[in-house]
Amino acid sequence: MDSRSFAKGLVLVLGLLALPGAAVAQKAPKARSAGFRLFARAFAEFSINRVLCGLDADGEICNPGQNENLTGAAWPKGSPQSYIFNSGVQVAGTIQDTLGWAWAGDTTGAFFYDPKGTTQHGQQVEPIWNYADSSDRANWPAAANVPEGDPSAALFDPSLQGRPSASEGDIWTLAWEGDPELSAGRAHPLGIAVETRGLGWNYPAGNNDILYFVHTFYNISSSCAADYAALRPAMRDRMLALGQWFQSLNNTKFGITMPACGYTIKDLYLNSYADADVSSDAGNNYTSVNLPLAMGYTY
């Protein structure tokens, strides 16, 4: 997905269909300690239907967790049939070049999932909340409710907007790439946060073999409240706090002064990367694409 301009405070939404499916397994990136843990967790298994998918709060989807020898996704769950070792999103973009400051015109990006395991930039902001878990359900944060009034709300039927869960058991988390200490392979962060919502159903027939993921990307380069006014209140407050934190961390780290109200990101590119393991020997996996359906597949 390519967006020619991504203004401060605005959102982009990427809907992903995750099937049990994807190339050669790589060593799992080293786990980092998690912060902001409340009742939810930094790693969780999404298993609302016949697909088992592990997720971590740094932004990886269908992740094997701490054991790199396990599968990240299996189908049907409970079987040894592995289909995905790990997956996640990647972003890149160019910072507006008309403001005359240190980063103006720079092109940079972030791996929320890095198959190499050496340049991963995603970091937990909110842990993983699983609506199928009774403890999480009893303490569900307002920011995790189905969007209502946001630009991303149009993806959901009005009858679902504002509810905690849109499916039989949503999973929700929030990550960013704004920490300047995680800048391996790049000069500095881009200024992006990504909200991930997983959805799953056991009906109708066939839909119990599919998981859906919606990624919403936020430009959090601004520390000005007005730039987040279009967001639902709980997310508006969260993004404003992230924007202020982003500016504080990076101004201090790099000895710069960002524009107080941030910047536009031009030519933003989004990618969903999957490392599939269909067979017990990862070297026997093959991949191809279906161009009319804009779909990749592995066998």
Side-chain angles (χ1 to χ4, degrees):
M1 178 179 179
D2 165 27
S3 176
R4 305 305 295 177
S5 181
F6 186 33
K8 55 192 179 181
L10 294 185
V11 302
L12 288 171
V13 183
L14 174 65
L16 296 181
L17 171 64
L19 292 169
V24 177
Q26 306 289 339
K27 182 178 175 67
K30 182 178 179 182
R32 291 183 295 277
S33 60
F36 303 103
R37 287 190 68 181
L38 298 175
F39 296 94
R41 57 204 58 80
F43 179 83
E45 290 185 346
F46 191 20
S47 57
I48 197 66
N49 55 24
R50 298 209 309 162
V51 184
L52 173 66
C53 173
L55 296 94
D56 75 26
D58 288 342
E60 296 183 339
I61 306 294
C62 294
N63 179 325
Q66 300 298 312
N67 189 340
E68 64 188 60
N69 295 315
L70 296 179
T71 179
W75 173 82
K77 66 183 178 186
S79 79
Q81 295 180 173
S82 167
Y83 285 87
I84 297 176
F85 173 74
N86 205 346
S87 69
V89 295
Q90 303 165 345
V91 301
T94 301
I95 293 171
Q96 182 181 11
D97 56 5
T98 59
L99 298 179
W101 67 291
W103 291 1
D106 285 4
T107 296
T108 187
F111 292 99
F112 286 91
Y113 170 54
D114 171 27
K116 305 184 304 299
T118 58
T119 56
Q120 188 170 353
H121 307 117
Q123 186 179 51
Q124 170 184 315
V125 174
E126 283 282 345
I128 298 171
W129 294 85
N130 186 349
Y131 197 71
D133 181 277
S134 59
S135 176
D136 286 5
R137 190 164 57 248
N139 297 280
W140 197 253
N145 288 345
V146 178
E148 183 177 31
D150 291 38
S152 59
L155 289 176
F156 301 93
D157 188 272
S159 66
L160 299 174
Q161 295 176 19
R163 292 185 177 185
S165 180
S167 70
E168 288 189 78
D170 286 13
I171 200 163
W172 182 87
T173 188
L174 180 66
W176 79 332
E177 52 76 50
D179 188 342
E181 299 302 327
L182 298 177
S183 291
R186 59 181 183 167
H188 54 73
L190 180 59
I192 295 290
V194 57
E195 173 189 8
T196 297
R197 179 178 298 275
L199 306 98
W201 289 267
N202 285 285
Y203 60 88
N207 206 32
N208 57 344
D209 297 323
I210 301 173
L211 294 179
Y212 300 86
F213 293 94
V214 177
H215 299 295
T216 304
F217 296 84
Y218 298 85
N219 179 339
I220 47 85
S221 65
S222 174
S223 63
C224 298
D227 286 325
Y228 305 100
L231 304 180
R232 60 193 187 274
M235 187 59 74
R236 181 189 313 154
D237 295 342
R238 202 71 183 94
M239 291 301 107
L240 175 59
L242 269 186
Q244 293 169 341
W245 191 24
F246 176 73
Q247 292 217 356
S248 176
L249 288 177
N250 285 277
N251 282 343
T252 299
K253 172 69 175 181
F254 297 106
I256 60 174
T257 301
M258 290 188 187
C261 293
Y263 46 78
T264 293
I265 299 173
K266 303 188 300 179
D267 303 331
L268 181 71
Y269 287 85
L270 311 175
N271 180 51
S272 176
Y273 184 100
D275 180 355
D277 283 325
V278 176
S279 68
S280 58
D281 182 352
N284 287 333
N285 293 325
Y286 301 90
T287 62
S288 190
V289 295
N290 183 309
L291 295 179
L293 296 178
M295 179 177 69
Y297 60 91
T298 300
Y299 58 98

